[in-house]
Amino acid sequence: MVNTILILSYCFLILSILGTLYRLVKGPSAPDRVQALDALGINIISGIAIFSVSSRNTGFFEVILLIGILSFIGTIAFSRYIERGVVIERGQPK
Amino acid sequence: MDLLHLVIMAPFIYAGFVPFLYKEGRQIHTGWLVVMLPIVLFSTFARMIPTIANGETVQKDLAWIPSLGINFTVYVDGLALLFSLLITGIGALVVLYSIYYLSKETEALDYFYVYLLLFMGSMLGVVLSDNLGVMYVFWELTSMASFLLIAFWHDREKSRYGAQKSLLITVFGGFSMLAGIVLLQQITGTFSVREIIGQGDSITTHAMFLPAMVLLLIGAFTKSAQFPFHIWLPDAMEAPTPVSAYLHSATMVKAGIYLVARLSPIFAGQAVWFWLVAGFGIATLFWGSFNAVKQTDLKAILAFSTISQLGLIMCLLGLGSAAVYFGLEGNNVLYTTATLAAVFHLINHATFKGSLFMIVGIIDHETGTRDIRQLGGLMSLMPITFTIALLGAASMAGLPPLNGFLSKEMFFTGVLEASQLSLFNMQTWGILFPVLAWLGSVFTFVYCAILVFKTFRGKFQPDKLEKTPREAPFGMLLAPLILVALVVIFGLFPNMLASSLIGPALASILPQLLSPGEIFEAQLSLWHGFTPELWMTIGVIAVGTLLYLSLPKWIGLYRLFPQKLALNQAYDQMLIGLERRANQVMRLHMTGLVRDYLVYIFGFVIIIVGSTLFLSNGFVFETDHAAPIGVYEAVLAVVMVIAACVVIFSKTRLTAILATGSVGYMMALFFVLFRAPDLALTQLIVETVSVALFLLCFFHLPKLKKEGSSLSFKLTNLLISLGVGLVVTLVAFASFGTNGFEPISTHFLETSYKEAGGLNVVNVILVDFRGFDTLFEIVVLGMAALGVYVLIKLRLAKGDEP
C-alpha cells in the first residue's frame, strides 16, 4: 500500500519536474525561469523526502532543510537581480 | 696532482690574479707581469725534451670523475711536447708583442690578458690530455676564449659578427666531436687515447667505427678551418693582431691538426680516413691560396693563407696515414715522408705565420691601414719590418734556403709518392694530388709576392695614410725578429729539430711502424739533388713570377665567380633562413588564441589516450559487476542530459547559467540517490554560490551574441568534443571492466568508530585518516580568497611598484 503511494507520488513528481523544466527551457522571460527554478527546488525537496521514506534513511533530512534555505535565498537573489540589477547593494557613501 | 697538472692549471690560476695586478700596478703595462708565465712554462717543457727524445713518455693521473672514467690524465709524448712548446713559446712572444701593440691607456688590458691566459691554459689542456672527455672540456674552452678574444673590441659590429660566426662553427664542430668521442667510448669502454690505441684493430670492424671517425673529423675540420668550414677564419681577423697571430695562425687552428695527428694511430690505414683527411686537405689548400690572391686586406690575405697552409698539413697527415696500411714490411721511410713533412711544416708555419701577422700588425699600427691599395713604398721607411716580412713571406712561398722550402719540397715528395700508391683507388684519382698541390703553391707564391711587394715596393702614397709611417719601436720588432730568426735557423740547420722534436712527434703519430725501443731517424737536408720536386719548385717560382707580373690583367677573373655561390653567402642565408623558418613555425602554431591551444591539447588527449587504448587492446566492456539501473537514475540522467544540451544551445547568458545550475542540482540529486548526504549538502551550497557568482560576473558583460564562426571551425569543435567524450567514456568503461583489486573502503568502515571515534565515515576520512588533503584544500580556498581580494583591490597602472 505504502509502496504504491510512493511510486504514484514519484510519477507525479516526475511529471511536475518535467513541466517546470519545460518552463525553465522555454522561458520566455527571465522571471518565468526563476519561478521554474524555485518550483524545481521544491520538487526536489519532495523527491528527496519520498526517497528518504522509500529507502528508510534519515540521513537526507538535512539536505531537505538546506534546499529549502538555498531555494529561498536563490529566488530572493534572482528577484533582486531582476528588480535592481544588483544582488548586494553597496553601503551608503558617507 | 703533479707538476704537469699544475702547468696546465697555472694560466687559469694566474688569470684570476690578472685583474688585481692590473688595478694595483697601473704604472706598468700588465703584459710585463703576464709574460713571465709562458716563459716559465716554456722552460719547463724545454727541460723535458731530452726525456722525450729518448723515446720515453710521461704520464700522470689525477682522478676527476672516476665513476665515468673521466680522469685528468696528462700524457706527454713527442706530439704533445711539440705543441706545448709552440703554445708556450709563441705565447710568450705574442704577449711580448702585445705589450707594445696594445696601449696601456686606451685598452682594457685586464680583459685581454685574462682571455689570453684562459686560452693558453685550455690549449695546453687540449694537447696534454690523454682523456678524450677532459680534452673536449679544454677544446670548448679554447672556442670560448677565442670567441671572447675575437670580440675584444666589442663595440664594433664586425667584431661581434666574426666572434659569433666562429663560435657557431667551432662549437658545431666541437659538439659533433663530442658525439664521436662518446661513440669511441661506447666501442672501447674507455676515454683514454692510450687504451683506445691499445685495443688496436679489434675496433675497426665495429659498426660505430665509421660514424665515430666522421664525427671526430668534423670537429677537427671546423677547428682547423678546413673546407667548407674555413669561412669563420677570415672574419676572425677582426680580433687584435696579437690574437690573430697567436690563435688564428699558430695554435688554435692547429688543434684540429693535433686531433687528426693524435687519433691517427686509431684510424690510419683506413681508406675513408685517407681520403677524407687528404682530400679535404688538398681542397682547402687550393681553395685557400686561390682566394688569398684576390684579398686587399693584409690580414685577410694571411687568413686565407693560414687556411691554405692548414690544408697542406692536413693533406700531408692524410697521405702519411697510408704508411700504416703497408705496415712494417716494405720501405717505410718512403711513406713516412708525408707525416714528417706535416710535422715539420707545422713548426715552420707557426714561425713564419706568427711573424707575418706581427708584421702586419706593425704596418697597421704605424700607417693606420691594412689595405694594400693604400700602402706602398714602405721599404725605405721601415727597413727592419721589410726584412722580416720578406723572409717570412719567402719562407711561406717555399724559397730556399728558408724552412718553408724544405717543407714544401717534402710536401711535393709526399704528393708525388701518393700518386704512385697502389691502394685506395689512387691509380685513378691520385694524379689530382700533385696537380692541385702545384697549383696551390703557385697561388701561394703569388699572394706572398703581393703581400711583400704591394706593401713595401711601389709608390709611396702619404696622402692616403692617416699617420706618417716610421720604423716601429724595437720592442715591437723583437718578437717577429725572434720568429724570423727561427725561420732562417730551421732552414739552414733542419736537423737540430729532427731528433729532438720531429722524431718523437712522428713516433706518436705512427706508433705502429716502430718496434719497441726504436726511435725515428728523421733526416732533413737542404739539398737533395736534382729531383722532380726541385723542378716543381722552379716551375712554381717561374709561373708565379709571371702570374704576379701580369696580375692586373687577370685579377678581374675573380669577379666572374658568382657571389651567390660563395660560402659566406650560404652561411648568412642559412642563418637568416633558419631564423625565418623558426619564426614561421612559431607563428604557425603559437596563434595567441586560447581556443587553438585547447584544440591542440584535446586533440593530443584524443590521439594519445585513444591510440594507447587501441594499440594495447585495453578496451574491455564488462557488465558483471554493474548494478541494475533504477528508474530514478534513468530519469535523472535524462534530465541532466537535457539541461546540459540547453547550456550548449542557449541564446542568452541567463539561460546558460540557469541550465548550468540545474545540472549542478541534478548532480546533488545523484548524490542523494547514491547515498552520499555530505556530498549532496556541499554540492547544493557550492552550486548555489557559483550560480550567484556567475550572475555577478555576467551582469557586467555584454549580451551573448551569436559569433559568426565558420562551419569548419564548428565542425572541428564538434569532432573534438565528441572525440574527448568518447575517449573518456571508453576509458571509464575499460577501467571499470578491469577492476582487479579489492577496495580498501572496508577498512575505513570497520575502523572508523574503533580508531577515530566517529560514525560519519566520510568526515572521519576527511579529518582523521586523510587530514593532510583537507589541510591543503583549506589552503587552496584561502589562497583563492586572497587572490580575489588582491585582484579587486590592487589596481596598478603600468610601471607602478606594488
Side-chain angles (χ1 to χ4, degrees):
Chain A
M1 182 63 190
V2 177
N3 264 338
T4 326
I5 293 168
L6 284 175
I7 288 167
L8 256 175
S9 41
Y10 264 131
C11 293
F12 283 120
L13 197 63
I14 286 163
L15 281 178
S16 77
I17 285 178
L18 288 177
T20 47
L21 268 180
Y22 173 74
R23 193 41 64 200
L24 190 73
V25 174
K26 192 73 189 165
S29 70
D32 291 323
R33 293 201 173 93
V34 175
Q35 281 286 339
L37 203 65
D38 195 32
L40 195 68
I42 292 166
N43 282 335
I44 291 168
I45 291 179
S46 9
I48 294 171
I50 299 165
F51 175 76
S52 297
V53 176
S54 69
S55 62
R56 311 266 187 277
N57 192 334
T58 57
F60 293 103
F61 290 177
E62 288 156 26
V63 178
I64 292 173
L65 283 177
L66 189 75
I67 295 177
I69 296 164
L70 286 180
S71 168
F72 174 70
I73 296 174
T75 313
I76 294 287
F78 271 120
S79 320
R80 280 177 78 99
Y81 172 73
I82 291 166
E83 192 76 349
R84 305 186 187 178
V86 285
V87 179
I88 301 165
E89 285 168 69
R90 285 169 194 239
Q92 291 293 319
K94 281 166 193 167
Chain B
M1 197 76 167
D2 190 72
L3 180 71
L4 273 171
H5 295 107
L6 203 65
V7 162
I8 295 177
M9 297 317 289
F12 293 102
I13 299 165
Y14 201 73
F17 291 106
V18 164
F20 296 108
L21 296 174
Y22 175 71
K23 251 207 180 100
E24 296 306 316
R26 289 310 287 254
Q27 288 79 29
I28 187 170
H29 195 287
T30 317
W32 288 116
L33 304 168
V34 174
V35 76
M36 275 99 78
L37 183 77
I39 292 174
V40 169
L41 296 182
F42 182 78
S43 53
T44 314
F45 285 117
R47 280 221 310 277
M48 296 176 74
I49 293 177
T51 322
I52 303 299
N54 282 337
E56 295 166 38
T57 57
V58 183
Q59 182 167 353
K60 301 284 176 198
D61 292 308
L62 180 69
W64 185 19
I65 319 175
S67 55
L68 292 179
I70 294 178
N71 292 312
F72 193 3
T73 305
V74 175
Y75 179 81
V76 189
D77 59 357
L79 189 66
L81 186 68
L82 172 65
F83 271 92
S84 305
L85 286 171
L86 278 181
I87 292 160
T88 49
I90 296 183
L93 293 175
V94 160
V95 174
L96 180 70
Y97 175 75
S98 71
I99 293 171
Y100 292 92
Y101 186 82
L102 292 173
S103 155
K104 190 171 68 177
E105 279 79 30
T106 54
E107 304 288 359
L109 289 177
D110 46 346
Y111 290 106
F112 182 79
Y113 288 111
V114 166
Y115 300 158
L116 201 71
L117 284 175
L118 282 184
F119 173 78
M120 192 185 291
S122 36
M123 197 66 209
L124 281 177
V126 168
V127 298
L128 289 171
S129 296
D130 176 56
N131 193 293
L132 285 173
V134 178
M135 196 194 77
Y136 173 72
V137 173
F138 285 118
W139 185 278
E140 291 298 7
L141 273 174
T142 63
S143 294
M144 284 319 284
S146 163
F147 169 74
L148 292 169
L149 282 167
I150 294 170
F152 179 64
W153 290 313
H154 49 79
D155 46 343
R156 300 183 188 169
E157 210 211 316
K158 285 186 87 176
S159 298
R160 296 197 302 270
Y161 173 78
Q164 186 206 35
K165 193 177 190 177
S166 73
L167 188 76
L168 284 178
I169 293 178
T170 51
V171 167
F172 159 75
F175 200 64
S176 94
M177 190 184 105
L178 176 66
I181 290 172
V182 171
L183 284 184
L184 264 190
Q185 199 268 346
Q186 289 299 309
I187 298 170
T188 60
T190 173
F191 277 117
S192 165
V193 180
R194 288 306 94 207
E195 291 169 29
I196 292 174
I197 295 171
Q199 298 197 7
D201 289 337
S202 61
I203 59 174
T204 55
T205 49
H206 197 281
M208 286 297 158
F209 182 71
L210 205 60
M213 178 201 288
V214 172
L215 287 169
L216 283 164
L217 272 184
I218 290 177
F221 284 177
T222 51
K223 199 75 161 182
S224 279
Q226 298 295 300
F227 187 88
F229 305 114
H230 65 271
I231 50 173
W232 66 267
L233 190 60
D235 284 306
M237 289 302 126
E238 294 303 320
T241 304
V243 172
S244 310
Y246 189 36
L247 273 69
H248 307 126
S249 69
T251 51
M252 188 180 94
V253 286
K254 297 218 170 83
I257 305 274
Y258 168 78
L259 187 74
V260 169
R262 178 53 86 206
L263 300 178
S264 276
I266 304 173
F267 295 111
Q270 305 288 318
V272 183
W273 175 265
F274 175 86
W275 274 108
L276 282 179
V277 177
F280 275 96
I282 198 94
T284 313
L285 161 71
F286 175 73
W287 191 243
S289 59
F290 178 68
N291 271 304
V293 176
K294 73 169 174 182
Q295 308 299 324
T296 52
D297 180 46
L298 286 175
K299 272 178 109 176
I301 297 178
L302 288 181
F304 278 103
S305 126
T306 303
I307 292 167
S308 145
Q309 306 277 319
L310 290 170
L312 189 156
I313 301 172
M314 197 64 98
C315 171
L316 283 171
L317 281 176
L319 296 178
S321 74
V324 179
Y325 180 81
F326 290 103
L328 282 167
E329 76 241 25
N331 191 359
N332 262 310
V333 185
L334 207 64
Y335 300 114
T336 51
T337 316
T339 315
L340 174 68
V343 176
F344 190 49
H345 194 70
L346 183 85
I347 304 169
N348 296 343
H349 177 248
T351 54
F352 65 68
K353 192 53 67 64
S355 70
L356 282 174
F357 264 110
M358 291 178 188
I359 290 302
V360 167
I362 289 172
I363 294 168
D364 190 12
H365 211 261
E366 298 303 325
T367 64
T369 182
R370 297 193 312 247
D371 196 325
I372 52 171
R373 288 166 300 190
Q374 297 173 19
L375 294 166
L378 296 177
M379 189 168 81
S380 54
L381 292 163
M382 307 168 81
I384 305 175
T385 317
F386 169 68
T387 316
I388 298 169
L390 186 67
L391 286 173
S395 173
M396 185 154 76
L399 300 183
L402 303 165
N403 58 5
F405 171 70
L406 288 171
S407 42
K408 180 139 298 183
E409 291 289 280
M410 282 193 287
F411 171 54
F412 284 148
T413 317
V415 288
L416 283 176
E417 268 163 19
S419 60
Q420 314 283 317
L421 285 182
S422 52
L423 75 162
F424 308 149
N425 288 327
M426 274 305 267
Q427 294 92 335
T428 43
W429 294 101
I431 191 66
L432 268 180
F433 279 92
V435 170
L436 278 178
W438 188 79
L439 278 176
S441 301
V442 170
F443 282 113
T444 307
F445 185 88
V446 174
Y447 71 69
C448 287
I450 292 175
L451 191 70
V452 177
F453 294 123
K454 294 261 180 194
T455 315
F456 293 98
R457 295 289 304 276
K459 213 164 80 211
F460 181 49
Q461 304 158 299
D463 47 317
K464 284 191 181 173
L465 302 177
E466 291 169 19
K467 303 178 187 171
T468 337
R470 58 190 160 83
E471 189 56 88
F474 178 70
M476 212 174 195
L477 287 167
L478 188 59
L481 261 181
I482 295 172
L483 283 173
V484 125
L486 288 176
V487 167
V488 179
I489 292 168
F490 291 162
L492 294 176
F493 312 103
N495 276 320
M496 63 180 275
L497 284 178
S499 58
S500 56
L501 281 176
I502 297 178
L506 275 184
S508 36
I509 301 175
L510 303 165
Q512 292 99 324
L513 302 181
L514 283 181
S515 41
E518 201 182 347
I519 50 173
F520 269 103
E521 298 285 348
Q523 279 303 319
L524 300 161
S525 55
L526 199 55
W527 176 253
H528 37 76
F530 286 101
T531 49
E533 296 89 299
L534 190 66
W535 293 115
M536 278 171 87
T537 303
I538 292 170
V540 164
I541 295 171
V543 177
T545 315
L546 275 177
L547 276 180
Y548 173 70
L549 291 176
S550 59
L551 190 63
K553 295 198 179 67
W554 58 273
I555 195 79
L557 284 177
Y558 279 103
R559 262 177 253 128
L560 293 179
F561 185 75
Q563 202 58 40
K564 278 216 167 116
L565 290 178
L567 284 166
N568 273 321
Q569 197 84 1
Y571 166 85
D572 288 338
Q573 287 307 317
M574 204 175 74
L575 272 196
I576 296 169
L578 196 70
E579 213 173 301
R580 198 185 297 140
R581 286 280 173 292
N583 277 333
Q584 274 173 359
V585 171
M586 195 76 163
R587 253 181 259 128
L588 201 67
H589 72 284
M590 301 302 276
T591 52
L593 294 174
V594 177
R595 63 183 190 202
D596 285 345
Y597 304 153
L598 286 178
V599 167
Y600 308 149
I601 294 171
F602 285 127
F604 272 97
V605 167
I606 296 170
I607 292 167
I608 290 168
V609 178
S611 60
T612 311
L613 205 62
F614 178 73
L615 290 176
S616 59
N617 271 333
F619 181 65
V620 188
F621 185 72
E622 203 182 307
T623 50
D624 288 353
H625 322 290
I629 302 169
V631 183
Y632 321 130
E633 289 101 310
V635 172
L636 267 185
V638 168
V639 174
M640 211 165 172
V641 167
I642 293 169
C645 289
V646 171
V647 177
I648 299 169
F649 294 109
S650 62
K651 299 258 188 312
T652 61
R653 287 219 161 81
L654 201 60
T655 322
I657 296 166
L658 288 179
T660 318
S662 45
V663 171
Y665 290 129
M666 292 304 137
M667 193 69 225
L669 284 186
F670 265 114
F671 286 144
V672 170
L673 267 186
F674 294 135
R675 313 284 198 284
D678 293 305
L679 283 182
L681 280 175
T682 322
Q683 170 70 22
L684 280 170
I685 297 170
V686 168
E687 196 57 43
T688 312
V689 172
S690 30
V691 167
L693 280 178
F694 276 134
L695 287 174
L696 194 69
C697 297
F698 285 11
F699 171 70
H700 298 285
L701 291 176
K703 273 204 161 35
L704 189 69
K705 60 172 191 288
K706 234 178 141 47
E707 282 180 33
S709 47
S710 67
L711 187 69
S712 67
F713 175 70
K714 276 185 182 166
L715 264 178
T716 322
N717 286 0
L718 179 72
L719 274 180
I720 284 181
S721 56
L722 283 180
V724 170
L726 188 71
V727 163
V728 171
T729 314
L730 290 181
V731 168
F733 277 133
S735 56
F736 179 75
T738 52
N739 188 8
F741 298 99
E742 282 295 308
I744 60 164
S745 55
T746 44
H747 168 78
F748 290 133
L749 289 173
E750 280 165 13
T751 55
S752 165
Y753 187 69
K754 260 191 288 179
E755 291 185 359
L759 285 171
N760 188 331
V761 183
V762 175
N763 290 356
V764 166
I765 290 175
L766 282 180
V767 298
D768 278 318
F769 292 141
R770 293 196 182 156
F772 256 125
D773 292 352
T774 316
L775 175 64
F776 289 107
E777 302 270 325
I778 293 168
V779 172
V780 166
L781 286 178
M783 275 160 56
L786 265 179
V788 169
Y789 184 77
V790 169
L791 279 178
I792 292 171
K793 287 290 176 189
L794 189 69
R795 278 151 202 259
L796 292 175
K798 219 177 195 177
D800 280 2
E801 284 292 315

